[in-house]
Amino acid sequence: MIKTRLFLWLLLAPLITLSAQTLAVSTFELPNGLKVILAPSPGMQAAAVCVYHMRGARQEPPDARGIAYLYQYLMFDGNQNLEPFDHVLFINKMGGVVSGRVNYDNAVFYDLLPAQEINVALWLESERLKSLRLNDANIDDQKSQIVSRFGRLLETNPAYRAQTWVSAKVFEGSAYEVPLYGDLNRLRSLSNDRVRDYYQYFQNLGNVLLIISGRFDINELRAGINRFFQDIPPGRRAAAPAFSAQNPRRAHVVKNWLLPGLKKHFVVYGIKAPARIGYNFMYFDFLRTYLTDPRLSRLQTILNTVNKLDVEIESFFSDYMEANCLIIQVSSPRRFNLEKAKYIIDKEFQALASNPIGNNDMKAVRSLMELDFLKGMASLEDRCLRIGEFYHMFNDLNFFDDQLKRLRRIVPYDVMESAKKYLAKPNQVILNVYGE
Amino acid sequence: MSMANNRALLRRGAGCLLGGALLLLAAARIHGAETRLFSFATSKGLAVKVLQDNDLPFLHAELLVYLDGSTQNYQSLAITQLALLDMFDRSLNSPPSNLMDMLQRQGGDFSVEQNPEFVRIRFNFLPDRLGAFSRLLREIFTYQSFHLGKFNLSKEKFWTLFMSGRDWRKEIALMLAYQQLAGNFYFTRGFLLRETLNGINMAQLRSFVLRTFRPDNALLVIKGKLNPYLVLGMIEKDLPPPEPRAAQPRREPVQANPGRKVFILNVDTPDPPTVYWFDVAPPAAADAFLPYAIGNFSLFGFPGGRIYHSQRNRFAMEGYKVDTETIHLRDFTLFCNYVRLNYGDLEDFLMLVDQERKKFTVRPVERKEYLDALNYYVGHALVKTGSPDSDLQSVIDSFHGQVARQEAPRIGPELFQEVSHAKVLQAIDEQMGANHRNNGRERGIVVLVGDADQILNSLKSLKTEALELSLD
């Protein structure tokens, strides 16, 4: 039997290739400063056109926080040649998808559409960069929608309120302390001229990447890019934002809230985590996957499977470039179970900081992370986002192999060191929310 | 040594030989940019479809295990769900089962979905786990790790697990549609009571798994940079031969009854009500399916659909968008069109849809509408080529259609090559034409979910069947 297996493996070994691939990426720059990154994928019949702004809420003037988040909605609210949502309708009509978001570090807008229609997306994106509609009526409308949406959320959702508080505490003193939408009162009274003026910095082409991934003919595409983007004015120059890993203040904070009418008690942990630009990030990400990824969740195992506490566990990770926060929320209608869960989590954090993770768990986490990485690279829009982020953070376009190699080289000791550093008490903000 | 043992040894030997031969065949690696489909019927009874896609950097597999005749009442429904929890729920892995360990080692990226007709298990894994995948399949097909403690726990936790993260309103709306369409058949899922759940014992679970989780009652579709013969060799080598079983009664095709019925599902919520509009179409493998889909798109599809452009559309569908979900079953397809509206707009919306459906008989789908719909579907299929499961549904539909012709099923945008304008007109006539209405056969099942009092106040001219359910 052993011989048969050996024989089979000898046969299989050369056939099974590990998935290391090199991403073929080329770049060029237009005279107006727009940098173009092309990542062809000839096997697909779709293409993604992504406009990646290397500016986000982090670079906003302190008295105008929330302005970049406002652009997320204004971007779909029409321009000189298109009415509100025409952009979305154009792409939807051909079976495509439009999406976009503004974050602290960056802003990303993309169109995913059939490959032969790529010029339509180029035209739509160029229209947006060239002549975004920023009149008083649509700015006021978007401001009031944001204010009412988040105002309602803060008022009615105690979990959201608690998470916002914990996040602000974790990021105290850093650029991520203020919510993405800023202060709602200030946003309401923000002058529209300020919104129009700041857009000149936001869309400065020196800080914008045009990333295209999928199937295309390189010559036709270059012609299309030149046609639609070369006349766009470069915008107002601003110093390129420099990166520095921020180290928010370390202090163990524990706070209790008593709220009337709460059906479930809950605790929110905010754990200060390394910046994405830092070398330690991948080790912490490994640890985070091990603890909280629902496909593998160690916390789920120890709390519910082993100790049968029947608690609900939710987790969120900020994924920012200069500092990070892992939020873990555990809730239960029984306060006793919640207290026991907190005790077990505390012990687990200590154990992770003093004992290496077992080999089987290491293999499972590594394989899951590698799979997620490859899945991200297989999806055109995710690929554009990753290319943009890596270029933004490291000025590097050949990250694919490096990332996989680093991931495969992680050993239990790295994870233990990360746990020792980041799961320590001074790195935690804990908010207990109990029903009255 | 007994005759049975001899036979088992022979079967195993033959399996090994066949596996070895296929592995040798696999020595030639196949390259190619386009997705190619290979179909196999293995000696173990498992139908295997391999989609070779050399651009996919990982492997995606779906295993469909059929539930024919096994979910005919509340009890068997609960047995199915408990068995799936026992096998695949991570939080119930105490004591640890070999299956769960293998799933975790495989990467842990799997999901289980139950459909009225089959259980669908999706896996993503790295190419170097291919060898382990066939052993994982064997573990699924030979699963018997039932444990009394875990079984009791699964019953206790059933409700919590069952309720978490599900859109109950939609599920109940779907149940009502199935009930109306297929009557007392296995689509009738009904509502599970705690007493029914408590009455189930472990032997029933064991028997269900033995009866259902068999290679000859399943379909495996696997996609990625694969050598199909290698996959087949592994399956031949690792899968157990199916246990002999009594001949299964032939499954009668379901005749769906799409006659008009309007239900109100009363829920205590401050949210605006949701309208679910269900329409029946032929099964996805039938030639008539795509013309129906195009007809549905011409009515509801955003932004070109007729309801958005109707002259009689008083509220002009401003701010509303109808979403469509297509549910593929073996004997028919269900289009689930749904939209969330204000109470005041409910009746207008329902009247508008009916009026526009009737208008199809005097003003059939125009060439422009047909081209717009086709353009959307082809574009959507092209865009989906970036997703790992893009071609799988057409392969599965084609398998369900028991296509007699030998050619490979069309996948991706090729599906739309044979859909002519004339076929669309014929399909629309069958779906909404005057003949059907004259026979008193107005079609479309409507489920309104929201506060029943407010719904009834806003509906003045529609006859409804009220149904009250608590979702607490």
Side-chain angles (χ1 to χ4, degrees):
Chain A
M1 191 63 194
I2 293 169
K3 277 183 185 170
T4 316
R5 282 196 179 166
L6 191 64
F7 169 70
L8 287 174
W9 273 112
L10 281 173
L11 267 174
L12 292 182
L15 301 172
I16 299 170
T17 52
L18 287 180
S19 46
Q21 295 179 0
T22 305
L23 197 66
V25 177
S26 61
T27 62
F28 63 95
E29 197 169 319
L30 295 184
N32 55 11
L34 179 70
K35 191 164 184 90
V36 182
I37 302 176
L38 307 178
S41 188
M44 290 184 186
Q45 300 186 61
V49 174
C50 169
V51 174
Y52 183 102
H53 296 254
M54 292 189 282
R55 291 185 83 87
R58 194 161 56 85
Q59 287 89 19
E60 290 169 337
D63 59 334
R65 293 306 295 263
I67 207 165
Y69 189 67
L70 198 56
Y71 296 139
Q72 176 171 316
Y73 297 92
L74 288 166
M75 287 288 183
F76 297 101
D77 217 14
N79 50 52
Q80 196 181 335
N81 295 319
L82 294 163
E83 289 304 305
F85 290 97
D86 276 2
H87 184 134
V88 179
L89 296 185
F90 260 108
I91 301 290
N92 277 358
K93 252 189 129 170
M94 55 179 81
V97 179
V98 179
S99 189
R101 57 141 187 82
V102 171
N103 210 332
Y104 286 92
D105 304 301
N106 53 20
V108 186
F109 299 92
Y110 71 83
D111 308 286
L112 182 63
L113 75 173
Q116 72 272 18
E117 307 286 357
I118 200 164
N119 274 347
V120 178
L122 293 177
W123 165 60
L124 291 168
E125 290 301 340
S126 68
E127 286 289 342
R128 181 153 64 187
L129 281 174
K130 211 184 302 179
S131 60
L132 192 67
R133 187 177 294 179
L134 295 171
N135 56 33
D136 285 346
N138 68 343
I139 296 175
D140 286 342
D141 182 41
Q142 295 300 348
K143 273 198 292 198
S144 74
Q145 284 196 35
I146 292 174
V147 169
S148 85
R149 187 178 319 129
F150 284 101
R152 199 166 51 235
L153 199 58
L154 285 166
E155 199 177 298
T156 58
N157 191 332
Y160 178 75
R161 205 158 64 235
Q163 285 161 16
T164 308
W165 185 87
V166 168
S167 178
K169 278 280 164 211
V170 168
F171 287 126
E172 202 169 29
S174 82
Y176 304 110
E177 183 181 350
V178 183
L180 208 50
Y181 47 81
D183 180 304
L184 291 179
N185 287 326
R186 275 195 183 179
L187 185 65
R188 193 183 283 126
S189 56
L190 189 69
S191 119
N192 291 349
D193 286 336
R194 198 77 196 275
V195 175
R196 284 186 278 267
D197 189 51
Y198 187 70
Y199 186 70
Q200 296 295 318
Y201 294 102
F202 184 76
Q203 74 93 45
N204 170 269
L205 294 186
N207 288 327
V208 175
L209 304 173
L210 175 66
I211 307 166
I212 298 165
S213 168
R215 186 179 198 149
F216 48 77
D217 177 284
I218 188 100
N219 294 324
E220 280 178 25
L221 182 66
R222 284 186 82 128
I225 292 169
N226 281 327
R227 184 174 151 213
F228 292 115
F229 288 88
Q230 68 180 359
D231 293 336
I232 300 178
R236 206 169 296 165
R237 244 196 216 279
F243 277 115
S244 62
Q246 301 193 11
N247 293 309
R249 191 163 55 87
R250 279 163 68 96
H252 186 45
V253 179
V254 182
K255 176 108 176 162
N256 296 334
W257 284 3
L258 278 177
L259 298 179
L262 208 61
K263 282 184 183 169
K264 282 180 184 174
H265 310 286
F266 62 90
V267 56
V268 183
Y269 288 83
I271 295 163
K272 296 172 189 178
R276 284 189 67 189
I277 52 163
Y279 193 79
N280 284 338
F281 177 76
M282 196 178 269
Y283 304 138
F284 184 84
D285 206 28
F286 198 97
L287 185 63
R288 175 182 73 86
T289 307
Y290 175 63
L291 278 171
T292 60
D293 190 295
R295 293 165 293 181
L296 198 73
S297 174
R298 171 75 182 158
L299 288 182
Q300 186 72 254
T301 308
I302 54 168
L303 297 179
N304 289 335
T305 311
V306 177
N307 286 291
K308 302 181 179 13
L309 293 178
D310 201 10
V311 291
E312 269 180 43
I313 306 160
E314 286 177 82
S315 70
F316 312 92
F317 189 59
S318 53
D319 220 13
Y320 302 149
M321 292 178 180
E322 291 193 340
N324 271 305
C325 168
L326 169 64
I327 286 189
I328 300 171
Q329 182 178 314
V330 183
S331 51
S332 170
R334 294 182 201 157
R335 187 156 167 188
F336 176 77
N337 285 16
L338 190 65
E339 296 305 323
K340 199 168 171 191
K342 281 161 60 182
Y343 175 78
I344 293 167
I345 290 173
D346 201 26
K347 289 283 162 213
E348 179 65 15
F349 284 0
Q350 286 174 24
L352 283 169
S354 51
N355 302 310
I357 296 177
N359 267 340
N360 281 345
D361 287 336
M362 283 297 293
K363 275 185 200 162
V365 180
R366 197 181 289 127
S367 140
L368 196 59
M369 287 179 74
E370 193 173 328
L371 189 59
D372 283 348
F373 182 77
L374 294 172
K375 275 161 82 175
M377 296 311 291
S379 134
L380 290 177
E381 63 274 30
D382 283 359
R383 183 190 302 187
C384 287
L385 178 65
R386 276 167 200 255
I387 290 172
E389 285 179 342
F390 273 84
Y391 181 81
H392 188 184
M393 286 190 288
F394 306 115
N395 214 2
D396 177 18
L397 290 170
N398 296 314
F399 62 91
F400 189 90
D401 284 343
D402 284 352
Q403 286 290 305
L404 276 181
K405 276 183 203 156
R406 273 200 68 201
L407 178 58
R408 287 169 185 163
R409 277 203 303 260
I410 294 177
V411 294
Y413 177 78
D414 298 326
V415 186
M416 191 174 80
E417 284 299 305
S418 186
K420 207 180 278 179
K421 188 168 178 189
Y422 293 105
L423 298 183
K425 284 265 180 208
N427 236 19
Q428 294 174 10
V429 172
I430 299 173
L431 175 63
N432 299 301
V433 184
Y434 302 121
E436 267 183 338
Chain B
M1 195 178 282
S2 71
M3 286 291 280
N5 278 348
N6 271 333
R7 267 204 299 275
L9 267 178
L10 272 172
R11 267 204 301 268
R12 203 161 155 184
C16 272
L17 270 175
L18 183 56
L22 289 165
L23 285 169
L24 283 171
L25 259 177
R29 298 180 66 189
I30 298 169
H31 289 278
E34 288 187 358
T35 304
R36 295 174 65 196
L37 175 70
F38 297 82
S39 300
F40 304 106
T42 64
S43 69
K44 312 295 166 68
L46 178 69
V48 179
K49 309 272 175 188
V50 180
L51 274 160
Q52 192 186 45
D53 178 353
N54 290 336
D55 287 329
L56 196 66
F58 58 94
L59 303 180
H60 176 82
E62 296 195 5
L63 179 70
L64 272 71
V65 180
Y66 294 94
L67 295 171
D68 280 359
S70 58
T71 52
Q72 287 171 350
N73 55 41
Y74 300 156
Q75 196 189 39
S76 51
L77 169 73
I79 290 171
T80 310
Q81 285 160 353
L82 284 175
L84 292 178
L85 280 179
D86 201 292
M87 292 171 81
F88 296 105
D89 194 281
R90 295 173 177 92
S91 66
L92 288 178
N93 188 31
S94 175
S97 76
N98 203 21
L99 174 61
M100 190 50 70
D101 286 350
M102 290 176 91
L103 284 164
Q104 294 294 18
R105 280 204 298 274
Q106 197 65 19
D109 193 2
F110 67 94
S111 65
V112 181
E113 172 196 315
Q114 193 193 338
N115 174 297
E117 292 183 323
F118 47 78
V119 174
R120 188 176 197 150
I121 310 158
R122 293 184 171 93
F123 309 90
N124 291 306
F125 52 93
L126 296 173
D128 61 350
R129 301 299 301 171
L130 181 61
F133 181 65
S134 61
R135 292 194 292 280
L136 172 68
L137 288 177
R138 180 182 59 198
E139 190 62 26
I140 290 174
F141 288 124
T142 54
Y143 183 82
Q144 279 298 304
S145 306
F146 296 105
H147 181 274
L148 194 59
K150 190 162 74 170
F151 174 67
N152 289 334
L153 193 65
S154 72
K155 277 187 179 180
E156 268 176 43
K157 296 184 79 173
F158 181 86
W159 297 104
T160 325
L161 292 167
F162 200 53
M163 294 293 279
S164 61
R166 302 180 72 153
D167 185 351
W168 271 97
R169 292 169 196 179
K170 193 164 161 193
E171 287 201 17
I172 293 174
L174 257 169
M175 284 180 197
L176 291 168
Y178 288 140
Q179 172 94 43
Q180 174 62 20
L181 284 168
N184 190 21
F185 194 63
Y186 64 90
F187 296 111
T188 313
R189 301 172 76 182
F191 305 103
L192 187 63
L193 303 174
R194 193 173 279 272
E195 300 83 67
T196 317
L197 185 72
N198 291 342
I200 294 168
N201 61 46
M202 216 165 66
Q204 287 170 301
L205 246 65
R206 204 184 290 272
S207 151
F208 164 77
V209 172
L210 266 178
R211 201 172 61 240
T212 312
F213 280 78
R214 301 167 53 96
D216 57 353
N217 185 38
L219 164 70
L220 172 72
V221 190
I222 181 164
K223 183 178 176 183
K225 189 174 180 178
L226 288 162
N227 187 314
Y229 302 103
L230 176 67
V231 175
L232 182 61
M234 286 175 162
I235 287 167
E236 287 290 359
K237 180 173 78 67
D238 284 330
L239 246 57
E243 296 291 326
R245 64 170 173 178
Q248 294 294 296
R250 192 181 156 78
R251 192 180 69 95
E252 291 300 323
V254 179
Q255 292 299 325
N257 164 26
R260 170 64 51 83
K261 201 110 180 180
V262 182
F263 295 99
I264 297 174
L265 179 61
N266 182 32
V267 291
D268 181 18
T269 169
D271 299 335
T274 310
V275 178
Y276 293 91
W277 189 294
F278 296 97
D279 268 320
V280 176
D287 287 342
F289 166 69
L290 285 169
Y292 266 79
I294 287 175
N296 192 69
F297 187 86
S298 304
L299 184 64
F300 289 113
F302 185 79
R306 285 192 179 185
I307 56 165
Y308 303 101
H309 302 287
S310 168
Q311 295 292 317
R312 301 176 72 117
N313 183 354
R314 285 199 291 111
F315 60 104
M317 291 299 292
E318 203 169 316
Y320 295 132
K321 177 175 177 286
V322 178
D323 285 306
T324 300
E325 194 174 308
T326 311
I327 299 156
H328 296 283
L329 300 165
R330 282 206 268 183
D331 296 317
F332 60 88
T333 305
L334 198 59
F335 290 119
C336 170
N337 301 294
Y338 57 99
V339 60
R340 187 170 274 194
L341 299 157
N342 290 326
Y343 283 100
D345 292 331
L346 269 180
E347 184 159 86
D348 284 344
F349 174 75
L350 295 175
M351 302 285 274
L352 173 72
V353 174
D354 252 347
Q355 282 160 3
E356 289 304 317
R357 284 163 66 94
K358 282 173 192 164
K359 273 206 266 178
F360 272 113
T361 54
V362 287
R363 190 167 71 89
V365 175
E366 289 167 5
R367 186 132 188 97
K368 185 185 171 303
E369 290 175 312
Y370 155 75
L371 289 174
D372 279 351
L374 207 58
N375 191 35
Y376 170 82
Y377 277 112
V378 173
H380 190 63
L382 290 171
V383 166
K384 275 199 78 185
T385 53
S387 139
D389 59 352
S390 58
D391 305 321
L392 265 69
Q393 190 59 50
S394 16
V395 173
I396 291 165
D397 291 336
S398 153
F399 177 75
H400 290 166
Q402 302 288 322
V403 183
R405 53 179 185 259
Q406 287 303 302
E407 81 240 33
R410 294 185 300 274
I411 51 179
E414 296 166 17
L415 274 167
F416 303 93
Q417 281 172 354
E418 291 171 16
V419 185
S420 68
H421 190 199
K423 282 183 185 169
V424 174
L425 294 180
Q426 188 187 339
I428 294 288
D429 187 50
E430 280 169 20
Q431 175 79 343
M432 306 167 197
N435 288 339
H436 294 288
R437 289 213 321 282
N438 292 343
N439 295 336
R441 301 267 303 147
E442 200 67 72
R443 291 183 174 208
I445 294 153
V446 184
V447 183
L448 308 167
V449 183
D451 182 318
D453 290 335
Q454 291 200 60
I455 292 176
L456 286 167
N457 284 339
S458 62
L459 299 181
K460 296 175 185 69
S461 52
L462 275 173
K463 190 182 165 199
T464 60
E465 185 163 307
L467 177 79
E468 189 154 345
L469 286 171
S470 165
L471 292 182
D472 291 335

